[in-house]
Each structure stands twice: as structure tokens, then as C-alpha cells.
Amino acid sequence: GNSVTQMEGPVTLSEEAFLTINCTYTATGYPSLFWYVQYPGEGLQLLLKATKADDKGSNKGFEATYRKETTSFHLEKGSVQVSDSAVYFCALFTGGGNKLTFGTGTQLKVEL
Amino acid sequence: DTGVSQDPRHKITKRGQNVTFRCDPISEHNRLYWYRQTLGQGPEFLTYFQNEAQLEKSRLLSDRFSAERPKGSFSTLEIQRTEQGDSAMYLCASSLVQANTGELFFGEGSRLTVL
């Protein structure tokens, strides 16, 4: 079946530090890959996505590249801000399954 | 506000009681999903509807759980004879089947606490 594995948190960084959150997946077929973010007290929202191999998704300074050869979709940001503190979820979607499969989430804390 | 809305936001109940959650999706969305999220875990799929038809149910959805979407608009998730293990955040999401991209729009969730 489909599954997503994320690095465990919490990840604590200083403002302006470089961020990487690792995500690998197992899927049948050709999934689309996503990063969702959950800010404190808010619902899950889409951060970025990539629908095929070598696509790069980007939004709000965050980037992730769909690597089929390593089955990975690592999230990166060059300079984090305190406002980026949230829980980040990697997820995959297959058209046949018609549903998102999520990783366990990685909590990011950014300090001044 | 035209997003996904869920009600109630928080429900505290005693073990053995029944609870019902309601979800109102984005109006033009024809797919509606229910997920469950426990502390420190990612959302786990429970079930989804396309219009009024329930197309898939997870093994997580025991016979104490029932979901409906009678007119293809709002949906309800009922848990009968609640157990402490049912304590979780219940998330609703909606999407357009025509898009079928995996971009789901989530509500803020209904938190269930079973004492």
C-alpha cells in the first residue's frame, strides 16, 4: 500500500536558518506529492505540490522537488522566519486511490 | 467565509454516549472526505463521498462509526457508544472530482474528548 515517512520532530531553528524536512514515500503507480502545513489553531492547508517526476513545487519561499529515483520529496527553505513555526505534513495522492495519504508530521519551531 | 466548516469544534462526552459531527464543504465541491488525527500523528483516512455516494471506507471505520451525505452537500459523522480511544481530531475536507489532483480543502476540525 501507499505510505509516507517523514523525519521526526520537533525541529528547532534560529530565524534565518536553512530548513530541510525529509520525506520519502512508497506508492503504487505515479503519485502526486504534497506538503501541507498546519499553523497553530488553524486547519491544514496546502503549501505546495508536484505532480510528476522532477517537478519542483514552490510557495512562500519553500521548495520541494519530486525525485522518483530516490522516492523523495524533501521540503526546503533558505531562510526561515518565526511565522513559519507550524507542523508540516508530507502527503501523496494517487488517482486510483482518490485520497491523500499523510506522513506523521514534523513540528518546526523557529526562534529569534 | 466560503471555506469548509465543521461543527462542533470541540465535543466532550462520556464513554458510551453517541456523538455526531457535521461538515459543510465548499459549495461547489462534490467530493467530501473524513479523516482522523490523533496527537503526534498525521491525518488518517476514514471515508469519502462523491456527491451522495460513499465510495470508500477505511478499516479504521468500525461498525460504531457511520457517515452520511444525504443530499450531496453537508455530511455527518456519527460515533455510537464512544470509547476513550475515539478521542481525536476529526477533520473534514472537500475537493472537486473534476480536478482529482489531491488538493483538498480542510476544515479546522472537530475535537472529540471521551472521558
Side-chain angles (χ1 to χ4, degrees):
Chain A
N2 298 336
S3 66
V4 176
T5 302
Q6 289 182 237
M7 64 186 287
E8 290 192 13
V11 174
T12 303
L13 296 174
S14 299
E15 202 170 42
E16 299 184 1
F18 184 84
L19 169 71
T20 299
I21 300 178
N22 291 337
C23 170
T24 57
Y25 68 90
T26 301
T28 53
Y30 302 95
S32 295
L33 301 175
F34 301 82
W35 280 99
Y36 278 78
V37 59
Q38 190 169 34
Y39 297 104
E42 298 185 15
L44 277 165
Q45 55 187 275
L46 178 66
L47 179 61
L48 55 83
K49 67 179 182 183
T51 58
K52 61 183 187 296
D54 299 325
D55 270 2
K56 178 184 285 188
S58 61
N59 187 25
K60 299 181 180 180
F62 290 89
E63 293 183 338
T65 301
Y66 189 142
R67 301 288 189 196
K68 185 179 178 184
E69 63 275 15
T70 54
T71 61
S72 65
F73 193 55
H74 305 321
L75 183 68
E76 297 182 337
K77 186 174 185 181
S79 176
V80 293
Q81 305 299 312
V82 172
S83 58
D84 294 325
S85 298
V87 183
Y88 293 82
F89 294 92
C90 187
L92 67 84
F93 179 89
T94 58
N98 292 325
K99 59 185 180 288
L100 282 170
T101 300
F102 287 89
T104 54
T106 303
Q107 183 174 12
L108 171 65
K109 298 179 181 178
V110 181
E111 301 173 335
L112 291 171
Chain B
D1 185 16
T2 58
V4 177
S5 63
Q6 294 187 242
D7 183 70
R9 294 289 309 279
H10 195 180
K11 178 72 175 179
I12 301 173
T13 191
K14 293 182 178 179
R15 185 165 52 93
Q17 298 296 303
N18 299 344
V19 297
T20 299
F21 300 112
R22 175 181 170 123
C23 172
D24 287 90
I26 293 172
S27 59
E28 64 268 27
H29 284 184
N30 39 25
R31 275 199 184 148
L32 186 147
Y33 296 80
W34 286 100
Y35 280 80
R36 181 173 70 187
Q37 185 178 16
T38 53
L39 196 62
Q41 299 298 312
E44 297 172 297
F45 170 78
L46 292 178
T47 187
Y48 88 96
F49 294 83
Q50 186 163 308
N51 300 311
E52 65 275 11
Q54 188 173 20
L55 295 189
E56 186 175 346
K57 293 193 292 185
S58 163
R59 290 170 297 176
L60 293 175
L61 214 64
S62 76
D63 57 5
R64 296 185 297 105
F65 288 70
S66 62
E68 295 182 343
R69 195 183 183 198
K71 297 182 179 179
S73 56
F74 73 92
S75 175
T76 57
L77 177 68
E78 181 183 18
I79 309 173
Q80 295 182 326
R81 305 181 303 281
T82 52
E83 302 173 356
Q84 289 185 326
D86 297 331
S87 296
M89 179 77 85
Y90 291 86
L91 303 174
C92 179
S94 68
S95 70
L96 276 171
V97 64
Q98 294 89 330
N100 203 30
T101 60
E103 183 172 355
L104 271 56
F105 295 80
F106 284 84
E108 295 183 353
S110 293
R111 182 173 296 283
L112 174 64
T113 302
V114 181
L115 302 176

